[in-house]
Amino acid sequence: MMSLFKKAEAHAAAKPDPKGTGYDLDIEADGDDPATAATVVNALYAKYKKNHERRKDYASLFSFLIFVGFYMSILFLQRSASEAYELTSTLKNNLIPEDTTMKGSAEVRDWIASVVTTTWQDARCGDGRCEAPFEYPEYGRFGCKADCNLLKTESQITPIQIDVYFNFSHPKGSVSPIDLMQDASWNLCPMEVDELIGPKKIFHGSDCYYETDQRFEQQVGHVVREIDDVPDGDWSVVVKKDIFLKVAGAVRPRFNVTVEAKNKRLLLAAHYGQIRRKYEVTTYQAIKTHLEKTNLTLAHEQLQLYLDITNNSLVEANATAATTAATANTTNPYDWDGNQTALVADMLLRRTMVNVSMAAGSLCASSFTGEQYLNVTDYAAVPITLYNATLFSSDGDLQTNGCSCVQGAELNLEPETYCYCYGPLAVNPDAVVDPNRVGVENVTVSFTVAKQRACSEVWRWLLLDTSTSWNQHLSLAWTANIAAQATAQSVADTEFTSVLTWLSQLSPVTFFEINQMKGTDVTRLDEASLTTLKNDNVVSERALDGNATVVANAIRTSYPYHEQLIALIDARLAVVNTPTLTTPLYASPPEFPFNFTYMVPTSLDIANALYPDDDLHAEVDVDIVEWNPAVLARQQYAFMTCNLLERAEQYVGTCVKPEDAVDPATNQPGPMVEDPEYANVDGRTSIYLTQTRFQKLCEGICVCEVDALDADGGDVVKKGCATIAGPGHFCTCEVCRVTAQFDNVEYPGNATAVAKRRLLGFGGGGGDGMSRAEFAARGDRWSLPHRRLLLENGPQRRRQGRNGRKLLQTDLDTILTAVQALAVKQSNIDTNVAAVQQAQAIANQDANDHHSDTALETIIKAGFDDLKKGTDSLSASLEEILAKQQQALAAAQESLAIQERTNALAESAERSIARLETAVQKQRESIQNAYKTGAFADVAQYVAIQEDAVITRERKAKENLLMNSPCQMKVLYYSFSLDNFNNTVPPVAYRERFVGLNNRVLAGMLIYVERKNLMKCTSSRFDDIDATCSGGRDVASYGVDPVFKLGTPLYVADYDNFETLTKVYNCSEFSNADVGISATYNDGADASVTGNHAPYCQELYNARDIPYGFRHKALPGYAAGFPFFFDINLSAEEAQRWIDVMNYGLMIDDVKTQKVTAQLIVYNAELGYFGNVMVFFEFSEGGKVRVTHSLNTIKVELYDTQADMSRLAMEIILVLGVAWSVYEELMDVVDTKKRTGTYGAYFSSVWNYVDVASITLHVVTLIMWFSYGFGLAANFAPDIHYDIYKNLEASAFVTNLKVPNQMVEMGAMFLEMKSLVEYLQLYMTFSGINIMLLLGRILKLMDFQPRLGVITHTLALATADLTHFFVIFAMIFMGYAFIGHVIFGYSSSVRIVFP
C-alpha cells in the first residue's frame, strides 16, 4: 500500500493538475486511469497526514497541559497558601499598623508599646501547668500555689530570723529623732549585682519580700521577723534613709537561733541554781560564824563601838564650844585634853574589867559558865538579877561606883589582876574595910562583895544589856537563819538580773528567744521557760536533802541553844557545799562586759550532767550577716566616727610620738608653740604635742582607728594609739595642730601673788603684749576654721562627687519648679480626662435621645460601641499618662524632701556654731570673773579649768559639725546568701511569648533606630528661622538613662551620686585592652568642654557627665544604627520598664530619627511555619512618618511528613519531565539543523525563545528549590533565646551588654530569616514567570486548532496595529499624567511621583 501511495505521489508530481484543483479527474470517467488513481491516493495520503499531525498536536497539547497541571500542583503543595495565609493574616491583624502614615515619633513609640504590652504577658496561675522557672512554688506574697504548691513543701528552706535594732536618739540642735524614725525604712530584697545594677535571679525577680517598706514605730527598740519560706539565693536587707546609721541588725538561721537560745536557757538555769546554792552556803557560813563568836570578842566589839560614839561626842562638843568662843571673841572653855584623858582612862578600866572577868580559869568566869547564863534566852529558867542594872552600861560611871582594877592580890595571896566595885555608899549598909582605902571612913561594902559586883556587872552587861547581850546576838542568828533562803535568793536574783541585762545587750536575739518560751512543764525542755527551769533546778536539789527544809524552818522556840542551830547548819553544808552544786557556770560575781563564751572550768560537765540529751557545748553560728553593732552595744553615736574621711577629714588622726611630730606646712618638727611651763622665759617654744594641754586636746577630738584581725581571724577595729602603735604615742589631727587653740587661755605669771594676779599673757609663756580689749576682740577666732570646714565639707556640699559632679537639678528652686510643672501637667490631664468623660456622657445621652428608631438599633449600637471603644482607649491612654506623671511627681517630691533635709541640716550646723560661739564667750567671761574674785584655790586650778574649757569647746564643735553632717545618703545593702545545696536547680527555660494564640516569638522583638546628622543648610537665607538640615548618618551615642533623669518615673534619687553612678557606668569595665578598646577622657584641650574628665569617659557619658541611654552597635544586614531588643525573658513588668526606658530615654525622637525598623520572628508549631514581620517607619523630610511592612511566611520543615514525601516523589517526576523537555528541545534544534542545514533557523521562531526561557526557568527553579529544601532550610536552626544584655532586671543601665554577648548571632539569625524569605520569594517569582511562559507555550501548542488558534492568529494579524496604538496611547497618557503632577501633585499623594 505504501508503495502505491509513493507511486501516486510521484505520478502526481509528474502530472500536475492543469486546473489547479488538485482533483481534476473525473473518477467515474477516468476510473481506470492510473493517473487518476495516483491522484486519489495522494489525496487520501494528505488527509491521513493531516489527521496524523492533528492527533500528534492534540497529544502534545494535552500532555503539556497535564505537565503544566502537574507542575502547578507541585507549586501549590510547596506554597500551601491556605496554611501560610492563616499565619499571615494573624500576624497582619496583630502587628501591622492600620495607617500607612503616622504623625510623629510618639505614635511609633505607642505602636511599639502596644505590641510589647500585648505580647509580653506573664503565665497565669491556676491553669494546671507549673511553668518553671517563671511559675514557682508559693512563698511570701509570690508564686503560684495552685500550680506549683508551697515552696517549703517542695524544697529545703532555711528559716531565717531578721532582727532589726534601732536607736534614733540624736542630740538637740539637729534633726529630730522623730523625723529620723519616720524617714527610715527597711525591707528584704534580692541582692543586687555589684549592689546597684540589678538583682540576681531569685524566683520572683527583683521585688522585695514585703510589698511596702517596713517602717519604725518607736524611737528605740527591736523588731523581730521570723520567715520560714525564703528561697535560696543572694539577698539583702535594704535600709533606706538611715543617714546617721541609727539602724542595726542581723540575719540569723532560725534553727541555730533556737538551738543557741535553748542551750543558753539551760546553761543559765544551771548557772542560777549554782549561784543560788553558792550564796546559800555563804549565808549559812556567815550565820555559823556569827554564832561562834566568843564572849570576849563580843565584849570588845561593843567597847570599840562605845569608844567611837563617845569620842565623836567629844569632838562635836569641842567644835560647838570653839564656835561659841570665836563668836564671843573669848577663849574656848572646853577642856579637850582633860576629856580625852578621862576617856582613855575609862576605856582602859572597862577593857581591863572585861579581860579580868572573862579570863579563862578565873573565879569570875567559872561563876558564869552555867547553862542558865551561857544560853540565856527570853525563856531562861533562872533569870539573872544583880545589884545594879546600869553599873557597867554606857550610862554607868565606873569611877562614881568605885570600880577599879589593880595588879596583885589581896594580902598578896592572888597573883592576877582583879577588879572591884563598891557601888553607891548610901545604898548598902554593910561596912568592910577596903584594903586599898585604909584610913578612909564610911566604907560601905566589903572587898569580897566589891569584887563579886565587878564580875557580875560585867557579865550582866554582856548577857542582858540591850545592845550587847547574847540574847540579842542569838536572836539575830535565828532571824538570819529564817531569812537565809530569801537572802540567798535575793542576792542570786540580783546577780542573775544583771547577767540577763547584759545578755539582752550583747545577744538580744538569744535573750528574745529565751523570753519567748513560756512553758511550765520542766520535762519539755524545748518549751519550758527560764524561770521554770531555774526554779526547778533549785527545788529539785533541795528535795533530795531533808536537812535543807529542817534548817530553813529552825526557830528559837524549837532550837533554843546555838549549838543545835550550828549542828543543823553543818548538816546542810555537808551536802550542799560541794563543787558540783556550788560552782557557777559563768563568772560570779559578774563584771561588764560579760563574756558568755567563757565558762568556769569543769562547769560545763556539771550542766551536761543535768541535761545529758543536749549538746550544750556545740558551737552554733548564729549570725548570717550583722551590721552596725554599735547601735546594739549602746555605744557612742555612730555619726561621731562614721565616714570621717569624707565628712570631716580634719578629725582623722594618725599616731605619732610627741618628739616625732612634724608640721605639714614646713615638713619640720612642730608646729612649735609657746610653752606656758616656762613662764619666766619669754618666747620659749616646744613641739605642740609635747605639751600636756595639746595631748589632752588631741586625744579628745582626734579619731585614730585601724582595721585588724583578732586572734581568731575575725575583723576588729583597733581604737586608740596605745592599742595601735604602743605606749607613748598620741593621736593627732588637723584640728589639734592649730596652734591658736589655747590663745584665749590666761596664764598668770606669779602663782604665789594671789592678791595681785599679774597676767603673764594669753595662750603662751611669754605673752604678746595684747590688751584685754584686744584679747576679747579676737576671742572668737577659734570658730573661723569650723565655719570654713562647714562650708567646704558640710552636708549641702557632700551631695556632689569628688570630681565636682552635682546631682541633676539639685538646686531646690529647680526641683520645686519641676514639681510645680508636673503638678500643672497633671492637673491639665485631669481636666482633659474629665472633659473627655463628660463629652462621652453627653454624646451617649444625645444618641439615646435622638436615635430611638428600632430599625437603626444595630447601626446605632455599632456606632456606640466604636465611640465607646475610642473613648475608653483615649481614657486609658490619659490615665496611663496620668499615672506616669504621678510617679514622676512622687520621685521629684522625694528628691525635694532629701534636698530640704540636707539644707535643714546645713542651717542647723550653722546655728549650732553660732550658739557655741556665744556659749564659749560667756564661759570665758565667767571663768575670768571667778578668778578675779578669788574663787579658785590656786592658779593651777584656774589654768586647768580654762584648758578644759578649750577641750570641751572643741569637742562640742566637733559634735555640732558631725551631728548635722549625715554619715551617708545612699540606700544600704546588707547582703547574705542562702544555699541548701541539695535543692534542684531550676531548669533553663525561656518565657513563652505568643502573637495571637500559638505563634511563639523567637528571641524577642528588635527595634533598630537609624539616625541622621544635623548640619547647617546650604542656603543661609532663612537661618533666623531654621538653619539645620539633615546630612549623613549619625552613630554617636545619645539619649540619657532615665534612672538618672530627674522628673521621670524611673528616676532613683539614691542612685544619683558619684559612688553609685561611677559604679554602674564603670569606664574601666568598658575598656578592653585585648581588643584594643580603651576609655577616652577630656584632655582639657577644648576649654569649652567642661565634662568627660575621669572617671566620666566619653563613651558612656555626655559632656555634662550624664550617662548616655543608647550606644551604637552594628548588626548584620542593617545599616549603622542603634539596636534596642525586647528579650522574651522580660516579664510583663520588666517589659513595661524597658518601654519606659525607651520613652523617657528619648530613643526615638522627631529631630534626628531617620528610620525605625521593628522585626519579629514567630514560629507556628501546628502549621510548621515561621513568620518574619518587619515594619518600617521612615521619617520623611516632609514631617510625617511613612509606614511600610514586609510580612512573609516560610516553611523549613519540608520533608518530615508522609505528605511531604509524596510531594518529593512528585518533584522527582517533575525533574524527569523537565529533563525530557530539555531533551526534546535539543532534538528539535538538531532536527532543524537537519532540515535547514543551520542552527540559526531554530531561533527564527519567537515561540522557540519562549520554549527555551520556560525550560531554563524550570531548571533554575528546580535547582533553587532543592538548594532551599536540602540546604538553606535544613541548615536554618534558630535558638529560642540569645544572651545579649548583662542583666534584664537591672535597676539602671539596662542596655549594658553582656561580655561576651550574642547580639551579632541574634542579628545573624534575623538576617538569615530575611534571606530565606527573600530566597523563597525569588523562587516563587521565577515560578510565576515560568507559569506565564508555560501559558505562552500552551498558546503555541493550541495554534494548530482553528478555533483554539483564533487568539494567536488574531494577535499575529493585529501586531502592527497594536504597536502603533500603544505608542500613541503612551504619549497621550504621559501628557495627562504630567499635567496632573504639575497642577495637583502638591496636595494629592497619588500624584506626588511622576511615573
Side-chain angles (χ1 to χ4, degrees):
M1 180 64 69
M2 290 298 298
S3 60
L4 180 62
F5 283 130
K6 289 181 179 180
K7 290 180 179 179
E9 287 180 356
H11 181 76
K15 187 179 180 179
D17 181 9
K19 297 181 179 180
T21 63
Y23 298 100
D24 56 344
L25 298 177
D26 186 352
I27 298 300
E28 292 181 356
D30 301 326
D32 294 330
D33 186 5
T36 303
T39 301
V40 171
V41 171
N42 289 336
L44 291 176
Y45 175 73
K47 186 69 173 179
Y48 163 77
K49 186 176 182 180
K50 182 177 181 180
N51 290 337
H52 177 73
E53 291 295 332
R54 178 164 294 184
R55 284 195 301 270
K56 182 180 177 181
D57 290 339
Y58 271 116
S60 298
L61 174 61
F62 284 112
S63 63
F64 190 75
L65 288 174
I66 292 173
F67 173 80
V68 171
F70 185 76
Y71 172 65
M72 295 181 69
S73 299
I74 293 176
L75 285 178
F76 177 81
L77 294 176
Q78 288 177 344
R79 191 50 168 158
S80 300
S82 59
E83 293 180 352
Y85 177 75
E86 289 189 27
L87 177 57
T88 302
S89 60
T90 301
L91 297 179
K92 184 175 182 179
N93 292 334
N94 286 275
L95 299 178
I96 305 303
E98 295 181 359
D99 299 329
T100 58
T101 60
M102 292 184 176
K103 297 179 180 179
S105 60
E107 294 187 9
V108 177
R109 295 193 300 269
D110 290 343
W111 175 83
I112 296 173
S114 66
V115 172
V116 173
T117 303
T118 304
T119 306
W120 267 252
Q121 298 288 331
D122 291 340
R124 293 186 178 183
C125 181
D127 59 4
R129 295 189 307 155
C130 185
E131 301 176 32
F134 311 111
E135 281 189 314
Y136 41 86
E138 180 180 306
Y139 61 91
R141 60 189 182 94
F142 308 104
C144 179
K145 179 181 178 182
D147 294 341
C148 307
N149 208 345
L150 293 173
L151 180 64
K152 56 186 178 183
T153 62
E154 296 294 322
S155 303
Q156 288 194 351
I157 299 298
T158 303
I160 63 172
Q161 176 173 312
I162 301 177
D163 296 276
V164 180
Y165 316 97
F166 49 93
N167 184 356
F168 293 103
S169 302
H170 205 64
K172 293 182 179 180
S174 181
V175 62
S176 166
I178 296 178
D179 292 336
L180 293 176
M181 178 192 72
Q182 293 175 346
D183 287 346
S185 62
W186 69 275
N187 211 326
L188 175 64
C189 307
M191 188 182 77
E192 296 193 349
V193 179
D194 295 333
E195 299 181 358
L196 295 166
I197 61 174
K200 288 183 178 178
K201 189 63 184 176
I202 292 177
F203 291 120
H204 68 267
S206 60
D207 290 341
C208 296
Y209 189 88
Y210 298 106
E211 186 172 5
T212 58
D213 291 340
Q214 304 298 289
R215 297 286 179 177
F216 299 96
E217 298 180 355
Q218 298 174 326
Q219 293 187 33
V220 180
H222 173 205
V223 174
V224 180
R225 293 286 189 274
E226 298 177 9
I227 309 176
D228 62 355
D229 60 356
V230 176
D232 287 354
D234 297 330
W235 292 84
S236 290
V237 176
V238 180
V239 181
K240 299 179 180 178
K241 297 184 181 178
D242 184 19
I243 61 176
F244 284 107
L245 300 182
K246 300 292 186 178
V247 180
V251 179
R252 301 177 169 96
R254 179 67 188 152
F255 175 77
N256 289 5
V257 170
T258 304
V259 171
E260 173 68 10
K262 178 182 177 182
N263 289 353
K264 196 71 70 180
R265 185 157 40 91
L266 298 180
L267 291 173
L268 286 172
H271 176 68
Y272 176 82
Q274 298 296 97
I275 63 173
R276 172 78 175 269
R277 287 184 286 273
K278 183 190 78 168
Y279 287 119
E280 180 185 352
V281 169
T282 302
T283 303
Y284 280 134
Q285 287 176 337
I287 294 174
K288 184 178 177 183
T289 301
H290 183 77
L291 290 172
E292 290 174 344
K293 282 186 177 182
T294 64
N295 295 330
L296 183 61
T297 300
L298 290 173
H300 279 292
E301 286 179 355
Q302 181 58 27
L303 288 177
Q304 182 62 41
L305 179 62
Y306 168 75
L307 173 62
D308 294 340
I309 294 174
T310 304
N311 187 63
N312 290 338
S313 299
L314 295 179
V315 171
E316 292 178 1
N318 181 49
T320 301
T323 302
T324 304
T327 303
N329 199 17
T330 59
T331 303
N332 185 356
Y334 191 78
D335 185 8
W336 167 259
D337 293 336
N339 288 331
Q340 283 291 312
T341 301
L343 177 60
V344 171
D346 183 61
M347 286 303 301
L348 178 62
L349 176 60
R350 290 178 182 272
R351 286 195 175 107
T352 303
M353 291 180 67
V354 168
N355 291 335
V356 170
S357 301
M358 298 182 182
S362 67
L363 178 63
C364 180
S366 61
S367 301
F368 289 89
T369 56
E371 189 177 272
Q372 70 272 24
Y373 300 118
L374 296 180
N375 289 289
V376 165
T377 69
D378 291 342
Y379 311 99
V382 185
I384 295 177
T385 55
L386 297 175
Y387 170 72
N388 188 345
T390 61
L391 177 64
F392 199 83
S393 66
S394 58
D395 296 332
D397 186 350
L398 296 181
Q399 300 294 331
T400 303
N401 289 289
C403 295
S404 180
C405 294
V406 296
Q407 180 71 33
E410 181 182 341
L411 301 178
N412 296 322
L413 297 177
E414 295 182 0
E416 74 274 7
T417 299
Y418 59 90
C419 301
Y420 54 88
C421 293
Y422 287 100
L425 299 179
V427 176
N428 196 330
D430 295 337
V432 177
V433 176
D434 183 348
N436 293 317
R437 302 182 68 184
V438 178
V440 178
E441 298 179 356
N442 299 322
V443 175
T444 59
V445 180
S446 68
F447 183 68
T448 301
V449 174
K451 289 174 60 178
Q452 291 177 347
R453 285 184 175 179
C455 178
S456 64
E457 281 304 301
V458 171
W459 279 98
R460 182 209 58 76
W461 166 74
L462 175 65
L463 298 178
L464 297 180
D465 191 86
T466 57
S467 60
T468 61
S469 69
W470 264 91
N471 177 48
Q472 182 172 349
H473 190 68
L474 289 177
S475 176
L476 292 175
W478 263 285
T479 302
N481 180 71
I482 292 299
Q485 290 300 319
T487 301
Q489 179 178 355
S490 176
V491 176
D493 286 348
T494 301
E495 177 179 320
F496 198 67
T497 299
S498 299
V499 172
L500 291 182
T501 300
W502 295 333
L503 178 66
S504 69
Q505 298 175 6
L506 301 177
S507 185
V509 177
T510 302
F511 180 76
F512 175 82
E513 289 299 321
I514 288 175
N515 289 334
Q516 290 293 97
M517 299 296 104
K518 305 294 184 182
T520 58
D521 186 352
V522 295
T523 63
R524 305 181 67 176
L525 298 182
D526 291 335
E527 301 176 1
S529 67
L530 176 60
T531 301
T532 299
L533 291 174
K534 69 184 184 68
N535 290 342
D536 176 72
N537 185 290
V538 174
V539 172
S540 297
E541 187 279 326
R542 293 179 62 81
L544 297 176
D545 181 15
N547 296 317
T549 304
V550 175
V551 70
N553 296 327
I555 59 176
R556 291 174 64 190
T557 304
S558 303
Y559 302 93
Y561 305 118
H562 77 284
E563 291 88 354
Q564 295 173 313
L565 184 57
I566 291 174
L568 294 178
I569 292 175
D570 286 340
R572 172 58 178 161
L573 292 178
V575 175
V576 73
N577 191 17
T578 61
T580 57
L581 292 177
T582 58
T583 302
L585 274 66
Y586 300 106
S588 177
E591 294 182 0
F592 189 82
F594 195 78
N595 187 356
F596 285 97
T597 61
Y598 169 78
M599 299 190 69
V600 176
T602 72
S603 63
L604 188 60
D605 296 333
I606 298 173
N608 286 330
L610 291 174
Y611 308 105
D613 296 331
D614 294 274
D615 185 9
L616 301 180
H617 190 265
E619 293 185 2
V620 180
D621 185 9
V622 176
D623 293 334
I624 297 177
V625 62
E626 184 179 17
W627 69 92
N628 203 7
V631 175
L632 181 59
R634 302 295 194 270
Q635 297 175 358
Q636 66 174 355
Y637 291 121
F639 69 78
M640 292 298 292
T641 56
C642 65
N643 200 18
L644 282 183
L645 195 60
E646 293 186 8
R647 297 168 60 232
E649 187 178 5
Q650 64 272 22
Y651 293 111
V652 178
T654 56
C655 295
V656 297
K657 288 186 176 181
E659 61 271 18
D660 297 334
V662 176
D663 188 351
T666 63
N667 202 26
Q668 297 294 324
M672 307 300 291
V673 184
E674 291 188 24
D675 195 339
E677 296 293 332
Y678 301 94
N680 297 322
V681 182
D682 292 342
R684 175 66 180 267
T685 62
S686 61
I687 297 176
Y688 78 106
L689 201 55
T690 61
Q691 301 179 19
T692 304
R693 54 178 182 167
F694 277 98
Q695 292 176 358
K696 292 180 180 180
L697 174 64
C698 293
E699 289 293 322
I701 62 175
C702 299
V703 177
C704 287
E705 296 181 352
V706 296
D707 296 330
L709 299 177
D710 58 17
D712 299 327
D715 295 330
V716 297
V717 177
K718 289 186 177 181
K719 299 181 179 181
C721 288
T723 304
I724 297 172
H729 290 78
F730 292 90
C731 186
T732 179
C733 57
E734 178 184 344
V735 174
C736 80
R737 284 196 297 268
V738 177
T739 58
Q741 290 284 13
F742 294 94
D743 280 0
N744 294 333
V745 177
E746 294 179 327
Y747 292 95
N750 186 357
T752 60
V754 178
K756 297 184 179 180
R757 282 188 174 78
R758 179 179 60 85
L759 293 182
L760 178 66
F762 300 94
D768 55 6
M770 286 187 300
S771 66
R772 182 170 297 279
E774 292 172 335
F775 175 67
R778 76 171 207 174
D780 60 350
R781 292 200 311 169
W782 68 269
S783 66
L784 297 180
H786 292 288
R787 291 182 179 275
R788 173 176 55 80
L789 292 168
L790 176 63
L791 293 174
E792 293 176 354
N793 302 304
Q796 74 274 26
R797 295 296 182 188
R798 294 195 305 109
R799 290 293 292 168
Q800 65 186 56
R802 287 174 291 182
N803 291 278
R805 180 185 180 276
K806 297 182 179 179
L807 175 68
L808 289 176
Q809 304 178 21
T810 53
D811 183 77
L812 187 60
D813 295 335
T814 304
I815 295 176
L816 185 58
T817 302
V819 172
Q820 292 173 345
L822 286 172
V824 171
K825 291 180 180 179
Q826 179 178 343
S827 177
N828 293 336
I829 291 173
D830 291 339
T831 303
N832 293 337
V833 171
V836 170
Q837 292 174 343
Q838 183 178 3
Q840 177 185 355
I842 294 174
N844 290 338
Q845 183 63 39
D846 291 343
N848 289 328
D849 293 341
H850 295 89
H851 297 277
S852 59
D853 187 354
T854 58
L856 299 177
E857 180 178 357
T858 303
I859 299 176
I860 295 173
K861 185 177 183 300
F864 281 168
D865 290 342
D866 291 341
L867 177 62
K868 186 176 184 304
K869 288 180 181 178
T871 308
D872 289 346
S873 176
L874 178 59
S875 297
S877 299
L878 291 176
E879 289 174 357
E880 181 181 359
I881 295 173
L882 177 62
K884 298 292 185 183
Q885 293 289 349
Q886 289 174 337
Q887 292 178 7
L889 178 61
Q893 289 174 337
E894 181 178 1
S895 178
L896 176 63
I898 294 174
Q899 184 70 16
E900 288 177 340
R901 175 77 72 225
T902 304
N903 290 344
L905 287 172
E907 294 171 359
S908 177
E910 180 66 24
R911 289 194 301 269
S912 297
I913 290 180
R915 287 195 299 268
L916 184 59
E917 287 179 356
T918 303
V920 167
Q921 181 64 27
K922 290 182 178 179
Q923 182 189 47
R924 185 168 59 243
E925 294 174 355
S926 298
I927 294 174
Q928 292 172 353
N929 292 334
Y931 179 68
K932 293 177 182 178
T933 59
F936 298 106
D938 53 29
V939 172
Q941 183 183 14
Y942 171 53
V943 171
I945 288 178
Q946 291 184 91
E947 291 179 346
D948 289 342
V950 171
I951 297 173
T952 302
R953 177 197 75 198
E954 289 302 315
R955 285 177 174 172
K956 191 63 178 177
K958 174 184 176 182
E959 179 180 316
N960 285 341
L961 173 64
L962 295 179
M963 75 182 185
N964 291 291
S965 179
C967 291
Q968 57 84 38
M969 300 294 289
K970 300 184 297 184
V971 176
L972 300 175
Y973 299 90
Y974 303 107
S975 302
F976 63 95
S977 296
L978 298 177
D979 195 344
N980 288 281
F981 299 103
N982 54 355
N983 285 335
T984 302
V985 178
V988 177
Y990 307 103
R991 295 182 185 270
E992 296 180 348
R993 303 298 182 208
F994 294 98
V995 176
L997 300 179
N998 55 354
N999 303 303
R1000 186 171 182 180
V1001 177
L1002 273 68
M1005 180 178 178
L1006 174 64
I1007 306 297
Y1008 198 82
V1009 179
E1010 299 172 30
R1011 291 170 60 81
K1012 58 189 177 184
N1013 263 324
L1014 295 181
M1015 57 185 297
K1016 183 174 176 57
C1017 298
T1018 56
S1019 173
S1020 59
R1021 179 180 177 184
F1022 298 104
D1023 282 356
D1024 55 339
I1025 299 176
D1026 192 354
T1028 57
C1029 295
S1030 60
R1033 185 62 54 82
D1034 182 14
V1035 294
S1037 301
Y1038 71 103
V1040 62
D1041 188 340
V1043 174
F1044 301 93
K1045 181 180 178 182
L1046 185 65
T1048 71
L1050 298 179
Y1051 176 73
V1052 181
D1054 295 321
Y1055 284 8
D1056 202 356
N1057 55 73
F1058 173 82
E1059 292 81 5
T1060 305
L1061 181 61
T1062 54
K1063 182 175 288 186
V1064 175
Y1065 286 88
N1066 190 341
C1067 292
S1068 61
E1069 293 183 358
F1070 170 80
S1071 302
N1072 189 337
D1074 295 336
V1075 295
I1077 299 176
S1078 60
T1080 56
Y1081 301 94
N1082 181 6
D1083 58 3
D1086 187 355
S1088 62
V1089 180
T1090 59
N1092 293 126
H1093 295 284
Y1096 304 105
C1097 59
Q1098 296 175 352
E1099 288 76 11
L1100 298 181
Y1101 296 87
N1102 62 23
R1104 291 163 298 283
D1105 295 341
I1106 308 300
Y1108 285 120
F1110 311 97
R1111 281 154 296 281
H1112 165 68
K1113 176 71 175 178
L1115 283 185
Y1118 284 91
F1122 304 83
F1124 190 79
F1125 191 68
F1126 288 93
D1127 195 292
I1128 57 172
N1129 264 0
L1130 290 171
S1131 66
E1133 182 179 355
E1134 291 160 358
Q1136 184 59 51
R1137 176 180 175 81
W1138 279 61
I1139 292 173
D1140 291 341
V1141 170
M1142 178 188 69
N1143 290 337
Y1144 295 107
L1146 303 180
M1147 186 185 79
I1148 303 173
D1149 59 13
D1150 293 328
V1151 178
K1152 300 188 69 174
T1153 303
Q1154 186 175 33
K1155 182 179 180 181
V1156 177
T1157 303
Q1159 185 172 4
L1160 195 73
I1161 296 177
V1162 301
Y1163 174 69
N1164 188 303
E1166 294 186 13
L1167 299 176
Y1169 269 81
F1170 284 92
N1172 181 51
V1173 182
M1174 299 184 71
V1175 182
F1176 308 97
F1177 304 89
E1178 297 184 42
F1179 289 65
S1180 68
E1181 295 178 351
K1184 67 178 179 180
V1185 180
R1186 288 193 293 268
V1187 182
T1188 58
H1189 70 274
S1190 171
L1191 199 166
N1192 302 100
T1193 59
I1194 60 171
K1195 189 172 185 178
V1196 297
E1197 301 170 299
L1198 300 177
Y1199 301 105
D1200 288 346
T1201 65
Q1202 186 62 41
D1204 294 336
M1205 301 310 295
S1206 299
R1207 191 190 71 246
L1208 176 61
M1210 295 175 64
E1211 291 168 352
I1212 294 173
I1213 294 173
L1214 178 65
V1215 171
L1216 296 176
V1218 172
W1220 177 256
S1221 298
V1222 173
Y1223 171 76
E1224 277 197 330
E1225 202 62 28
L1226 291 175
M1227 290 300 99
D1228 193 12
V1229 173
V1230 173
D1231 289 344
T1232 303
K1233 174 68 170 58
K1234 288 181 179 181
R1235 290 196 311 270
T1236 63
T1238 178
Y1239 290 111
Y1242 174 81
F1243 296 100
S1244 62
S1245 174
V1246 175
W1247 293 114
N1248 287 337
Y1249 284 99
V1250 174
D1251 289 342
V1252 171
S1254 176
I1255 293 172
T1256 302
L1257 283 179
H1258 260 306
V1259 174
V1260 171
T1261 54
L1262 285 175
I1263 294 173
M1264 290 182 66
W1265 175 256
F1266 286 111
S1267 297
Y1268 173 77
F1270 293 99
L1272 300 177
N1275 294 331
F1276 181 62
D1279 292 330
I1280 186 63
H1281 181 264
Y1282 294 87
D1283 289 330
I1284 296 176
Y1285 294 112
K1286 184 177 181 180
N1287 193 339
L1288 295 177
E1289 304 168 40
S1291 54
F1293 198 4
V1294 297
T1295 57
N1296 190 12
L1297 295 177
K1298 186 177 181 180
V1299 180
N1301 61 77
Q1302 295 180 302
M1303 176 73 83
V1304 175
E1305 289 80 353
M1306 182 271 297
M1309 185 272 290
F1310 275 67
L1311 178 61
E1312 184 180 6
M1313 182 66 188
K1314 180 181 177 183
S1315 301
L1316 285 176
V1317 168
E1318 292 175 349
Y1319 189 90
L1320 185 61
Q1321 193 65 34
L1322 181 62
Y1323 167 77
M1324 290 301 174
T1325 301
F1326 283 168
S1327 297
I1329 295 173
N1330 193 24
I1331 291 174
M1332 296 296 295
L1333 294 175
L1334 288 175
L1335 291 178
R1337 294 177 68 185
I1338 291 174
L1339 292 177
K1340 170 190 173 183
L1341 293 174
M1342 291 170 52
D1343 186 64
F1344 76 93
Q1345 216 275 348
R1347 294 183 182 276
L1348 295 178
V1350 171
I1351 296 176
T1352 56
H1353 295 161
T1354 303
L1355 291 175
L1357 293 173
T1359 298
D1361 296 333
L1362 288 175
T1363 300
H1364 290 85
F1365 169 78
F1366 278 113
V1367 170
I1368 297 173
F1369 176 79
M1371 294 172 58
I1372 296 174
F1373 181 80
M1374 291 290 289
Y1376 277 109
F1378 189 79
I1379 293 172
H1381 173 75
V1382 171
I1383 299 177
F1384 304 106
Y1386 75 96
S1387 61
S1388 176
S1389 62
V1390 297
R1391 299 183 182 89
I1392 290 177
V1393 180
F1394 183 72

